[in-house]
Amino acid sequence: MKNLNIPNRLSILRICLVPVCVLLLYLPGQTARTAALIVFCIAAFTDFLDGQIARRQHIVTTFGKFIDPVADKLLVCSAMICLVDMSRIPSWIVIIIIGREFVISGFRLIASDNGVVIAANYWGKCKTVCQMFMIIILIANLGGGFVIVEQILIYASLILTVISLITYLWQNRSVLSMQE
């Protein structure tokens, strides 16, 4: 690990925080829930921080292009699966969101086989930010007027997921024609 740059170390830290967050979500009591919220927020912040550092210091690596989205998907999808189990978000929405991740990952694999690296687009970044805020609000479970905020974030995340999938496939449709 000594050869890894700071952004890649932050991505690995994010992956290491996933089981901690999941464990805390399943422990009983408000203290565990609060700890899960803090761990998730720290992990989400590492996503922002690693991207900022990599861009500012111009240290984008092949490993970083791989590990950063994997870390994001593990964090977000794991938390959402826990939230389904806790009846905080409908399973059908999480299935669509996770399905999008599989489609995009497969699409990136096809592109990679053809020597094409596909970077995240604006819609994908917005989707991730919205999903992270949604998860934070759902874990916090503030009740009252926040139930409306929860619903808005759930459906905004769903809509951004679908928009990002469509734009991603459309902008990179030439990758599919390489397979013919």
Side-chain angles (χ1 to χ4, degrees):
M1 187 140 146
K2 65 181 179 178
N3 293 329
L4 293 177
N5 61 40
I6 292 171
N8 291 344
R9 288 178 188 212
L10 289 169
S11 293
I12 290 170
L13 172 62
R14 189 160 57 258
I15 291 170
C16 292
L17 290 175
V18 169
V20 176
C21 185
V22 169
L23 175 67
L24 290 168
L25 282 170
Y26 282 109
L27 289 176
Q30 188 56 44
T31 303
R33 187 69 38 86
T34 301
L37 180 60
I38 291 167
V39 169
F40 185 86
C41 288
I42 291 168
F45 183 70
T46 66
D47 181 36
F48 167 77
L49 194 58
D50 71 19
Q52 290 295 316
I53 294 169
R55 282 186 289 280
R56 279 198 188 132
Q57 296 182 3
H58 305 287
I59 49 175
V60 177
T61 65
T62 302
F63 179 73
K65 288 178 189 176
F66 165 76
I67 200 68
D68 180 62
V70 167
D72 294 345
K73 287 170 183 44
L74 282 172
L75 178 65
V76 169
C77 294
S78 297
M80 284 192 292
I81 290 168
C82 292
L83 291 165
V84 165
D85 196 38
M86 299 162 61
S87 301
R88 301 287 296 127
I89 186 171
S91 58
W92 68 271
I93 291 176
V94 174
I95 290 167
I96 290 171
I97 290 171
I98 292 174
R100 181 254 185 219
E101 301 307 333
F102 276 104
V103 169
I104 296 302
S105 293
F107 197 70
R108 278 190 169 141
L109 186 61
I110 292 169
S112 176
D113 283 350
N114 289 291
V116 178
V117 176
I118 300 175
N121 65 24
Y122 169 81
W123 290 104
K125 291 178 181 184
C126 287
K127 170 218 41 120
T128 300
V129 169
C130 188
Q131 288 174 354
M132 287 185 177
F133 278 119
M134 172 195 71
I135 292 166
I136 289 167
I137 294 299
L138 290 173
I139 292 172
N141 197 10
L142 301 170
F146 279 95
V147 172
I148 294 169
V149 173
E150 290 173 358
Q151 292 304 305
I152 291 169
L153 287 171
I154 288 170
Y155 287 101
S157 292
L158 177 63
I159 290 165
L160 287 171
T161 295
V162 172
I163 290 171
S164 71
L165 172 64
I166 291 167
T167 59
Y168 202 98
L169 294 175
W170 179 255
Q171 289 172 349
N172 299 288
R173 63 192 176 279
S174 62
V175 170
L176 292 177
S177 65
M178 293 177 181
Q179 296 303 301
E180 296 174 351

